[in-house]
Amino acid sequence: MSDKSPSGSSGISRGAGVLISLFTAAIVFGGGMAILPQPRPPAPPPSVAPPSPPPPVAPPAEAAGGQGGAGGQGGQSDSDDDAGAGGQGGAPSTATPPEFADDGRPAPTGGAAGPGDNADGGEDNSADCALPEKDMAREAWRRNWPTICSIADTGKGFILIPVKGPVQNAVVELKRKPVREARVNLPQAESQLTLKLYKLKKLGFKDLKVGPVDESAGTGTKLRVRLMPGAGDPVFDVKDGYAKITVATPDRAADRSDKD
């Protein structure tokens, strides 16, 4: 019995084993690649949209009005003239609304007139003379000027002065010296005329002085109506809202004295 083994069969078995190992490794590698997930490619960077251009600015309305003004100067039509006036003006004119007192009536507008203005008889009150006496007082307050009216076919005239407050304790008198004055004292009322002196020179009334009854306290209202030469003696009528003084006008008073 021999102890030697053939060298050729040993070399073939070793090479075959190496091949089988390589083939097995390739199969395992391929299977693993098929089973394992493939790496994903990196995502591309997000695209940035370009900024949009700003919207066009519309021309202002004044510019359109200006073009209309050019057309208005051309005199093509009445509508063009209106548009032209609007273009040249640039802005519509606005009127300042009147101020109002607590009771809703317009505030006096004649306070800026100083003593001595309207010396030919003050404001024209002819339109107010057709109103009721309380409405006359309201208009006198609004104008900041006493209402003076003539009484038709009588030769008389009266002055109406607006007041506010109680008039029950009114004291009236005719002062003859040194000048003839019709006086009205209202201890609890207030004059609604703001000036101290009104030069009238109308229908027998020369001027009106307004002041407080109590100079120290500044309370009450003292009215002094100086009469023109030849005016008749006054007749007083003090009511809620106004004080009224009526006299015969100088011409008619002179006529009566001649008849007497």
Side-chain angles (χ1 to χ4, degrees):
M1 192 168 175
S2 176
D3 296 333
K4 292 183 179 180
S5 59
S7 57
S9 61
S10 176
I12 293 172
S13 300
R14 187 177 301 169
V18 172
L19 291 176
I20 292 170
S21 299
L22 293 174
F23 181 73
T24 303
I27 292 174
V28 171
F29 179 77
M33 292 297 292
I35 295 173
L36 295 176
Q38 298 294 329
R40 297 180 180 179
S47 60
V48 179
S52 59
V57 179
E62 287 79 1
Q67 294 177 359
Q73 294 176 1
Q76 295 178 358
S77 64
D78 294 340
S79 61
D80 291 341
D81 293 340
D82 296 339
Q88 293 177 358
S93 62
T94 57
T96 303
E99 297 180 358
F100 285 85
D102 295 338
D103 57 358
R105 297 182 296 178
T109 57
D117 294 343
N118 301 323
D120 57 348
E123 297 186 359
D124 185 7
N125 305 130
S126 58
D128 299 341
C129 294
L131 301 173
E133 291 181 346
K134 282 197 173 183
D135 292 336
M136 287 187 197
R138 185 178 297 109
E139 288 301 312
W141 172 71
R142 186 181 66 84
R143 296 174 184 268
N144 198 26
W145 196 270
T147 298
I148 301 177
C149 299
S150 61
I151 304 174
D153 301 329
T154 63
K156 296 182 179 181
F158 66 84
I159 181 172
L160 191 144
I161 305 162
V163 297
K164 179 176 63 174
V167 297
Q168 289 80 8
N169 298 325
V171 178
V172 300
E173 65 173 334
L174 171 61
K175 180 74 173 180
R176 297 186 180 273
K177 293 181 179 180
V179 294
R180 292 178 73 231
E181 281 185 348
R183 298 186 173 186
V184 180
N185 286 357
L186 301 168
Q188 297 175 295
E190 177 184 354
S191 171
Q192 291 189 295
L193 300 181
T194 60
L195 299 183
K196 294 182 178 180
L197 176 63
Y198 294 85
K199 291 190 176 181
L200 308 172
K201 294 184 180 180
K202 186 175 181 181
L203 295 179
F205 304 104
K206 189 172 184 179
D207 58 45
L208 165 66
K209 295 180 181 179
V210 181
V213 173
D214 188 346
E215 297 288 346
S216 60
T219 58
T221 296
K222 179 172 58 177
L223 306 175
R224 300 290 183 265
V225 180
R226 187 160 58 162
L227 304 179
M228 297 175 64
D233 290 345
V235 177
F236 299 91
D237 187 12
V238 181
K239 294 184 179 180
D240 184 24
Y242 62 88
K244 179 182 176 182
I245 302 173
T246 305
V247 299
T249 59
D251 294 340
R252 181 59 63 89
D255 293 342
R256 288 182 178 178
S257 61
D258 293 340
K259 290 180 181 180
D260 294 341

